[in-house]
Amino acid sequence: MNLRESCLPPGWYPQKPDEIRQFLAIDARDTASGTTAGTAQAAIAPHAGWYYSGKIAARAMASLNRNIETLVVIGGHLPAGRPPLFAMEDAVSTPLGAMTINTALRAVLYQTLGGAEDRFPDNTVEVLLPMARFFFPNASLLWLRLPASPASFDAGKAIAAASAGLQQTTAVLASADLTHYGPHYRFTPKGTGAEALRWVQEVNDRRFIDAVQSGNPAAVLERDETDNSCCSTGAVLGAMGFAAALNAGPARLLEYGTSAGKSGTEIPDSFVGYAAITF
């Protein structure tokens, strides 16, 4: 079996199975008002190290329907003009054991979307794989990365069509962080301190979340391009397109936070926004 090995160094997520299970067991639920745990068809989760965003990511993943055959994890870090990237191995490695890749679904989508092989080290998919193995122990995986382009919304629809054509049940998890703010990211329109944090939380990230909830892919792209409010917009568009194809209904915000919350009472100069969104 051709196995895709981990490329992230220790520190991104726990390396021992017991540590992963302990971290995730208390978050294997979705308590959002009006949403039943384990029924969503698509979700958006952050992709930072688990210390910063793992609990928010777990909220998103726990909201998905567990009775599926394949989980499609869509990453990003791809600008417009790049082709969709697929992991071409037979399985991926996680500390909880290997997760088999759905090669039949991959073959259909690779041809339909004009894909290319993902040969690059990247955190957006891998950091979520131990969670995927925990929440979906009997499901196969599709590893995909999509560019920040309107075509990625159509790619989400293509995932739904290909799954239906193969008579397979599928859910989609998009991997995306929100505003990267501060000198470290060369983005400081509101200076630093409490005012900067408030602006990111209540204005910049809020506008992006509102765009996702509108269901309008053009609005999502515009917010990202105008506000620098999302990392891996292509993944978000893919989840939106998949949800739209299945008439999943409007997106719901399950949880929001920032890495600033991990710094105690002192507000760091640089921080990142995170959201768990479900369809």
Side-chain angles (χ1 to χ4, degrees), residues 137-158:
N138 300 315
S140 61
L141 172 77
L142 183 71
W143 170 312
L144 170 64
R145 289 200 284 144
L146 292 175
S149 163
S152 292
F153 185 80
D154 294 329
K157 292 183 175 181

Side-chain angles (χ1 to χ4, degrees), residues 22-105:
Q22 182 178 8
F23 185 102
L24 294 175
I26 60 173
D27 290 285
R29 69 199 188 287
D30 170 19
T31 57
S33 177
T35 303
T36 303
T39 61
Q41 294 168 313
I44 300 169
H47 57 232
W50 284 21
Y51 173 78
Y52 293 102
S53 68
K55 293 189 181 300
I56 295 177
R59 286 290 306 278
M61 194 172 293
S63 75
L64 293 171
N65 176 14
R66 310 294 172 80
N67 299 314
I68 58 168
E69 295 168 273
T70 302
L71 177 67
V72 179
V73 180
I74 307 178
H77 285 164
L78 295 178
R82 294 290 301 276
L85 298 181
F86 293 80
M88 299 304 292
E89 292 82 3
D90 301 317
V92 298
S93 174
T94 84
L96 297 178
M99 197 167 185
T100 302
I101 288 180
N102 186 330
T103 56
L105 181 60

Side-chain angles (χ1 to χ4, degrees), residues 57-275:
R59 286 290 306 278
M61 194 172 293
S63 75
L64 293 171
N65 176 14
R66 310 294 172 80
N67 299 314
I68 58 168
E69 295 168 273
T70 302
L71 177 67
V72 179
V73 180
I74 307 178
H77 285 164
L78 295 178
R82 294 290 301 276
L85 298 181
F86 293 80
M88 299 304 292
E89 292 82 3
D90 301 317
V92 298
S93 174
T94 84
L96 297 178
M99 197 167 185
T100 302
I101 288 180
N102 186 330
T103 56
L105 181 60
R106 181 181 66 193
V108 173
L109 290 170
Y110 192 92
Q111 182 176 13
T112 301
L113 302 180
E117 182 176 0
D118 193 349
R119 301 174 179 269
F120 312 100
D122 182 82
N123 65 297
T124 57
V125 175
E126 182 188 326
V127 75
L128 297 173
L129 295 184
M131 291 188 190
R133 188 72 173 83
F134 175 86
F135 285 110
F136 299 93
N138 300 315
S140 61
L141 172 77
L142 183 71
W143 170 312
L144 170 64
R145 289 200 284 144
L146 292 175
S149 163
S152 292
F153 185 80
D154 294 329
K157 292 183 175 181
I159 294 170
S163 298
L166 293 170
Q167 297 184 331
Q168 296 180 359
T169 54
T170 302
V172 165
L173 183 73
S175 173
D177 290 341
L178 301 186
T179 302
H180 286 55
Y181 190 94
H184 183 72
Y185 306 109
R186 299 181 181 180
F187 185 61
T188 56
K190 297 295 179 179
T192 58
E195 175 60 21
L197 179 59
R198 185 203 65 79
W199 178 79
V200 168
Q201 293 172 324
E202 299 179 12
V203 179
N204 215 48
D205 281 351
R206 184 68 253 180
R207 285 194 297 225
F208 186 83
I209 293 167
D210 287 346
V212 173
Q213 292 181 306
S214 77
N216 183 347
V220 170
L221 277 170
E222 182 180 5
R223 289 274 63 82
D224 177 30
E225 292 167 359
T226 302
D227 301 339
N228 294 317
S229 54
C230 183
C231 172
S232 301
T233 310
V236 173
L237 295 173
M240 290 175 63
F242 181 82
L246 296 181
N247 297 313
R252 298 182 182 183
L253 177 65
L254 299 180
E255 188 171 346
Y256 172 83
T258 74
S259 59
K262 295 294 187 177
S263 301
T265 58
E266 182 178 351
I267 298 174
D269 289 342
S270 298
F271 52 88
V272 180
Y274 310 121

